[in-house]
Every structure is written in C-alpha cells, then in structure tokens.
Amino acid sequence: MRYFFTCILLLFTLTFSSCKQRTANKEPLEKPENILNNPTSFSNYWYKDLKLSDDFIALSPSDSVIPKGEFLKQVATGEYLPLRLISGNPVYYELYKITTPIDPLITTWLKDLGTGAYNNYQWEGKALPAINYKDIDGNIYTQQTIKGKILVLNFWFIGCTACVAEMPDLNKLVNQYKNRKDILFVDIAINKEDSLKKFLSKRSFDYKTVSDPSGYLLKIFKIRAWPTQVVIDKNGNIVKILNGYNDDYKTLAALVQKVASS
C-alpha cells in the first residue's frame, strides 16, 4: 500500500513538473525588442496579436499564473509589455518588464491599452446600468423592454472611419440572427438624431440607431476607443466589452454565438 501511494505521489510530481516546464518553455510570437523598437512595430503587434478582452492565462515575469485583473493593472503602469506566447488553446500572455528606454509614445499607448482593458474587465458579470433610450424609429429600450433578451450594443459616431468600415460586417451579424426575436442589435451614436438620419439615408446599417449626444453610457463605461461593442446576456449582465482596433468582428461574432447558444 505504501508503495502504491509513493508511485501516485511520484506520478503527480512528474506531471506537475512537466506542465510547469511546458509553460516555462513557451516562446513569444515576436521578440519583445522587435515589438518595442518603434511605434510602428508596436502598433502592428497591438493590432495583430493583442486580444486582451479574450480569455487567456496570465503569467507574471517569473512565469507564475496570476489573476487577469492583476495582469491588466500592471500593463496599465506602462512598465510591462503584454507578451503573447506561442500556444494553441488556451492563449498565454506574459508580463515582460521593460528595462531599456523606449519611445514615450509606446509607453502612453501601453498605459491606455492596460487602463482600457482593465476597465472593461471589471464590468464583466455586472448588471447593465439603467437605460431609457428611444431609437430613431421610436422603439423604446429600458430594463423592462429588454428583459429576457440578449442585447448587443455598438458605440460609434459619424466621423469614425473604423466604425463606418465595419458596418457591412455588422449587417451580416444582424442578418444571421434575424429570426431570433430574443436578440437585439442597437447602436448608440453621439451625433444628433437629424445628422444620423441624414447619414443613414445614404448608408445601410441594420442596427437600431439611438442618438445620445450626452454620452450617458459612454461616460459610465469610460469608453476610450471606437468602435466599442458591449454584449449583455438575458439576465441583464454584461458579458464583455470589446473596443478599439484590437478587437475585430470575428471576436464579436464568436461572442454573440456563444451567448446565443447558452
């Protein structure tokens, strides 16, 4: 019996060591010195490889697993690069301590990136703040009218090039769920209603459009980039906030599919 437990203990130890070793041996998708070389290289890395709204395993500089919130707070200091490692699923990011001088613009971007991602992360699982909106077609959106429905919000404005460019993809998403009466697609713009009506008369956008020049939810969510998408489940809780250039249509589509299937 003692021999049996000794073997089990040995097997557990070897397994744990093996897993730890595989984590430690993960290589970065791109060398940090190349990413931090100049603003252009960092911008390319941000756009292509950084998906901090996704679920991932967060690692400290010493390769230990840490909470995602703590990871994002460290990125927000501007002192660490969120370094994506080569892996399948799950995805790994490691905090890379920046020890050499870099362009101040990159530091500013890192602070903004971390602050925005941490803010968004804090909203996950929280209730949608009280709303009382009316779209340009007269439909009303309150906690009562959206009860038991999935709500997909899109924050944008007329002068946002990226916001306008993604509209055809968002139309595809609306069309995909056109037979689902329990899913609402609503866009909230900071432009005045007459300007929105004029703009949308020349461009097809299948979301229901709300004019909110006051930026009510914009201020509550502390949205820092456009476009921004917010997905709310049937219980009225925020699933995720996706924003800026580092979150693409595929991420949104996969998230809506996941929530719609649950």
Side-chain angles (χ1 to χ4, degrees), residues 5-132:
F5 282 112
T6 301
C7 290
I8 292 297
L9 179 61
L10 179 60
L11 178 61
F12 173 82
T13 303
L14 290 174
T15 302
F16 177 82
S17 300
S18 176
C19 290
K20 181 64 178 178
Q21 186 65 28
R22 285 199 297 272
T23 301
N25 285 340
K26 289 184 182 299
E27 296 294 329
L29 282 177
E30 189 171 349
K31 293 181 178 180
E33 56 268 27
N34 294 339
I35 297 170
L36 299 170
N37 185 50
N38 56 65
T40 299
S41 59
F42 178 80
S43 178
N44 290 336
Y45 171 71
W46 183 352
Y47 182 78
K48 292 187 305 178
D49 299 323
L50 285 183
K51 305 289 182 183
L52 297 184
S53 63
D54 290 353
D55 296 326
F56 62 85
I57 294 178
L59 301 175
S60 71
S62 61
D63 197 45
S64 59
V65 177
I66 59 175
K68 182 177 179 180
E70 180 60 32
F71 180 93
L72 296 176
K73 282 199 295 184
Q74 292 301 320
V75 175
T77 66
E79 299 176 2
Y80 295 89
L81 171 70
L83 189 61
R84 185 165 180 171
L85 306 182
I86 297 174
S87 65
N89 190 18
V91 172
Y92 286 79
Y93 284 95
E94 183 177 69
L95 286 173
Y96 174 81
K97 177 68 174 178
I98 301 172
T99 57
T100 57
I102 60 174
D103 191 299
L105 182 58
I106 298 178
T107 301
T108 299
W109 284 348
L110 279 170
K111 289 179 179 179
D112 286 344
L113 170 64
T115 300
Y118 180 61
N119 173 72
N120 293 347
Y121 175 72
Q122 286 184 301
W123 275 104
E124 293 180 16
K126 292 185 178 180
L128 174 70
I131 58 173
N132 186 7

